Amino acid sequence: MAEFSIIDQYFNRQSYTDVTLGIGDDSALITPPVNQQLVICADTLVAGRHFPLDTSAHAIGWKSVAVNLSDIAAMGAKPHSILLALSLPTIDHEWLEGFSQGIYDCCNQFGVALIGGDTTQGPHLTITVTAMGWIESGQAVLRSGAKVGDYVCVSGQVGDAAYGLQHLGHPLQKRLDYPTPRCQLGQQLKGLASSMIDISDGLAQDLGHILKASKVGARLLLEKLPIDSTLEEIPEQQRWQYALAGGDDYELCFTITPQNYEKLLQKQLDIKITMIGEIVEQTQLTFEHLGSDYPLQIHGYQHFA
């Protein structure tokens, strides 16, 4: 089966309305909205590295899109469209049907169009998605804006996906296979959050990127971490490892002034927000539990471990 036949059969659903030219030519054409900046990111998923080999094709398709939309959300931007580059060892029509449906199900839920890409044969299943979005000029929420006295907050729960990975078949595996990009929340935080990042490699490691960019430190209250009741039942040290270092949460971690935090709580939010700590002067991340220092050695996901 030729490359273009695969594209026509599985990846050419013309459902978008504001793309000047989509799939079918050498490149896609998009007309930028007035006074908007383009936000663009890319992620690669490799079979056996970023998802278990027996993960369903539909879940792989969904996650390939979702992890990129999470990066767009972390800038406060509105997602618009994606490009898909797919390397396949063999042509498996049942797999392609499920995978493409997962792609489109995620795109449709978040108002995103698949507008182009590339398909080729390779030794390993490899998926690269490039996502694009728009934000008003100068309004992007960066990692470098955290200030001493800001609250540190996180959306949803942390540690679910990591627990699901280690306990395949548990209900929390769904959080691993089908992460939810916080697109609406990201846009609601625009103009309120002082810095933001999405949690892909573990809360502690990703928060560390904010601290480094902002030249500040943070103190986290372990008892405030929003975790599933399943994690409440395991030993503390293991619990914190899942919550702080597990990765694949794709929740938003952000800093915000106390005043803006109160404003945020007045909005109609689609996900729970938890204040888990505070930005401090010392340029390091420390932990507290029930009012006492709690030393922890935390290491997030390492891409070249």
Side-chain angles (χ1 to χ4, degrees):
M1 191 178 193
E3 172 193 359
F4 300 110
S5 298
I6 294 174
I7 294 170
D8 286 339
Q9 183 169 344
Y10 297 106
F11 302 108
N12 196 14
R13 304 184 192 179
Q14 305 290 344
S15 59
Y16 38 82
T17 58
D18 62 343
V19 175
T20 306
L21 180 66
I23 294 171
D25 220 301
D26 289 309
S27 300
L29 297 175
I30 305 171
T31 302
V34 177
N35 297 323
Q36 301 270 308
Q37 289 180 300
L38 175 65
V39 181
I40 187 167
C41 64
D43 264 305
T44 296
L45 302 183
V46 179
R49 179 67 175 171
H50 297 100
F51 52 85
L53 293 174
D54 60 353
T55 303
S56 76
H58 186 276
I60 296 170
W62 174 283
K63 188 169 186 175
S64 299
V65 178
V67 300
N68 281 275
L69 300 189
S70 183
D71 281 330
I72 298 293
M75 304 294 287
K78 181 179 181 180
H80 177 269
S81 51
I82 64 166
L83 302 171
L84 169 67
L86 179 63
S87 177
L88 295 168
T90 59
I91 296 173
D92 180 332
H93 292 284
E94 182 179 359
W95 188 91
L96 281 166
E97 181 65 36
F99 174 75
S100 60
Q101 189 62 52
I103 290 277
Y104 281 106
D105 283 348
C106 191
C107 283
N108 291 340
Q109 180 162 329
F110 295 98
V112 171
L114 172 60
I115 62 172
D118 186 42
T119 305
T120 189
Q121 185 176 27
H124 305 289
L125 171 61
T126 305
I127 306 145
T128 298
V129 170
T130 300
M132 292 159 285
W134 302 108
I135 193 165
E136 294 87 350
S137 296
Q139 292 298 302
V141 185
L142 309 181
R143 299 178 181 181
S144 55
K147 298 289 189 294
V148 173
D150 285 354
Y151 291 160
V152 179
C153 299
V154 67
S155 65
Q157 295 182 170
V158 290
D160 293 357
Y163 187 90
L165 178 61
Q166 297 300 318
H167 301 82
L168 297 178
H170 189 278
L172 287 180
Q173 184 184 344
K174 187 172 183 181
R175 291 271 286 139
L176 171 71
D177 293 343
Y178 289 95
T180 303
R182 303 302 180 188
C183 297
Q184 181 178 338
L185 175 62
Q187 294 170 69
Q188 290 174 312
L189 285 166
K190 179 179 57 181
L192 292 177
S194 53
S195 68
M196 184 154 55
I197 193 169
D198 77 319
I199 305 170
S200 56
D201 297 332
L203 171 59
Q205 181 166 297
D206 288 323
L207 175 57
H209 297 318
I210 286 180
L211 303 184
K212 182 178 180 180
S214 300
K215 299 180 175 60
V216 293
R219 189 165 182 82
L220 296 190
L221 309 176
L222 295 177
E223 68 273 13
K224 294 289 189 181
L225 293 177
I227 58 175
D228 191 81
S229 58
T230 302
L231 274 68
E232 296 279 8
E233 300 172 1
I234 62 178
E236 277 187 359
Q237 289 284 333
Q238 189 177 6
R239 181 191 312 163
W240 308 141
Q241 288 293 326
Y242 280 128
L244 293 167
D248 263 346
D249 292 309
Y250 297 101
E251 297 292 349
L252 294 179
C253 175
F254 59 94
T255 61
I256 189 169
T257 66
Q259 295 81 4
N260 282 348
Y261 180 71
E262 294 302 321
K263 293 179 182 177
L264 177 65
L265 296 182
Q266 302 306 311
K267 292 179 174 286
Q268 295 294 319
L269 303 177
D270 65 345
I271 187 68
K272 178 184 176 182
I273 300 299
T274 306
M275 193 276 281
I276 59 171
E278 187 175 354
I279 295 297
V280 297
E281 288 186 6
Q282 296 82 1
T283 55
Q284 59 183 326
L285 177 60
T286 59
F287 304 97
E288 178 181 315
H289 187 230
L290 301 176
S292 300
D293 291 346
Y294 196 104
L296 271 177
Q297 292 295 322
I298 296 293
H299 301 285
Y301 179 79
Q302 300 298 315
H303 293 268
F304 290 91

